[in-house]
Amino acid sequence: MDWDHLRIFLAVARHGQLLAAARRLGLTHSTVARRLDALELSLGARLFDRRPAGCIMTQAGERLLPVAERIEFELLGIAETITNEEADVSGTVRIGAPDGLGNYFLATELGELTRRYPNLIVELVPLPRTFSLSRREADLAIVLDRPIEGRLLVSRLIDYTLSVYAAESYLERHGKPISMEALRDHTVVTGVDDLAYASALDYSTVLQEQAGRIFRCASVMGQIEAVRFGTGIGVLHDFAALSIDGLVRILPDVSFRRSYFLLSHPDASTIRRVTVLRDFITRRFREEHLRFLPSG
């Protein structure tokens, strides 16, 4: 089986279109189509239903996908093994993370790793979304809900807390609520319910049920900035809010505890740059546990 044909197959599977796969690989549309034809001919089975809107994987394609992924990871691992000296850790490694964690913790922490390994390029993608490791959208991912399906390595990184905050400027103008019922005279900053990508984000509903007025923002970073500039009261991550001047914790009896989970593809354990990043992240969370659990 020709690896170059398998590489084409993986690109089409990940991007869903021949043209998108061709652009990703730097090939022409006809080259991608021709090599995919050759792979299907060698296997004696169609791998995709090719439609104008995109390529739909067949059952044969679904069976081939994990095999092709394992081959890909093995080849990457061989390349890593040949140059496995610590000083030679190089290449690009991508980690996907929730935007609050990415912007208020990982963005600063990962700089230490790139200073240690100058040939390593770390791509941090702090977006409010989930990531597919099998489709190579990221090499590692930090998520809020433990996955119950899929071929993944899952480790619990750390628990963290969230509390209710308001800006000093907001409290000077509107007063400080002393109970949940008092929120009827205030504006509450929350997420956007139908854009919530994890069940762990359900804490916003607790405040908005009592709120007199509501301001919604889909990203954690946007919510923090809205509260910081006095738009209203919101539930914020303690590890971020406690380091921001002008924010005051209120309603101390209202708090939430959630968890971060680290995901990696099992076949990525042979790729040194991925294991270096995974080990670094695990160690930094362990060292900073009091930042994430300030009362723990």
Side-chain angles (χ1 to χ4, degrees):
M1 190 177 297
D2 190 329
W3 159 245
D4 202 40
H5 293 168
L6 283 179
R7 185 172 66 99
I8 299 293
F9 164 76
L10 283 172
V12 176
R14 288 164 179 163
H15 295 279
Q17 293 181 327
L18 296 183
L19 183 58
R23 288 172 177 165
R24 178 67 180 85
L25 297 170
L27 301 173
T28 65
H29 180 279
S30 60
T31 298
V32 169
R34 184 172 64 254
R35 293 183 182 175
L36 190 58
D37 288 340
L39 178 60
E40 290 180 330
L41 181 63
S42 69
L43 294 173
R46 279 189 307 109
L47 301 173
F48 298 98
D49 288 327
R50 305 183 201 182
R51 303 175 184 178
C55 297
I56 307 299
M57 201 177 303
T58 64
Q59 289 185 350
E62 294 283 357
R63 291 195 297 271
L64 179 61
L65 182 60
V67 177
E69 287 175 344
R70 285 197 294 273
I71 294 172
E72 179 185 44
F73 278 112
E74 286 294 331
L75 290 173
L76 290 171
I78 291 170
E80 293 281 342
T81 301
I82 292 172
T83 57
N84 65 355
E85 294 297 324
E86 192 167 288
D88 291 328
V89 175
S90 62
T92 300
V93 59
R94 175 180 292 180
I95 178 169
D99 67 310
L101 181 66
N103 288 306
Y104 290 98
F105 182 71
L106 291 176
T108 55
E109 294 294 325
L110 292 176
E112 178 186 336
L113 187 65
T114 57
R115 287 190 295 272
R116 187 181 306 173
Y117 302 106
N119 294 321
L120 179 66
I121 300 173
V122 177
E123 294 182 348
L124 171 62
V125 188
L127 296 175
R129 51 161 292 188
T130 57
F131 296 86
S132 171
L133 300 184
S134 64
R135 293 181 180 273
R136 301 295 302 279
E137 293 177 345
D139 299 293
L140 297 170
I142 298 176
V143 299
L144 299 169
D145 294 336
R146 180 190 287 273
I148 58 176
E149 297 180 349
R151 185 170 161 264
L152 297 170
L153 295 178
V154 182
S155 61
R156 191 192 199 97
L157 266 181
I158 202 167
D159 289 352
Y160 65 98
T161 56
L162 307 98
S163 304
V164 184
Y165 289 87
E168 292 175 349
S169 60
Y170 178 90
L171 297 177
E172 289 171 359
R173 294 194 310 271
H174 302 284
K176 183 178 180 179
I178 60 173
S179 66
M180 290 289 289
E181 291 74 18
L183 290 177
R184 64 178 178 271
D185 299 321
H186 294 270
T187 299
V188 167
V189 177
T190 76
V192 180
D193 294 343
D194 59 354
L195 295 180
Y197 58 94
S199 62
L201 298 172
D202 60 357
Y203 49 79
S204 292
T205 60
V206 176
L207 264 64
Q208 67 185 23
E209 289 174 354
Q210 305 289 337
R213 297 169 299 280
I214 295 176
F215 174 79
R216 292 191 171 99
C217 184
S219 73
V220 168
M221 188 173 183
Q223 293 168 44
I224 290 175
E225 291 302 294
V227 173
R228 185 166 75 93
F229 281 97
T231 301
I233 296 167
V235 177
L236 306 180
H237 298 66
D238 286 318
F239 69 80
L242 290 174
S243 64
I244 298 174
D245 292 338
L247 288 181
V248 178
R249 185 183 176 190
I250 62 174
L251 301 176
D253 293 335
V254 182
S255 65
F256 306 87
R257 185 168 176 143
R258 298 291 187 268
S259 302
Y260 287 125
F261 298 92
L262 179 63
L263 311 184
S264 60
H265 197 287
D267 295 330
S269 59
T270 60
I271 303 175
R272 181 160 175 74
R273 62 180 179 270
V274 177
T275 60
V276 164
L277 177 58
R278 184 180 61 214
D279 293 345
F280 174 82
I281 289 171
T282 302
R283 177 176 60 82
R284 289 302 295 138
F285 273 94
R286 185 171 59 249
E287 294 170 347
E288 294 287 336
H289 70 279
L290 291 178
R291 182 173 174 183
F292 288 86
L293 292 170
S295 60

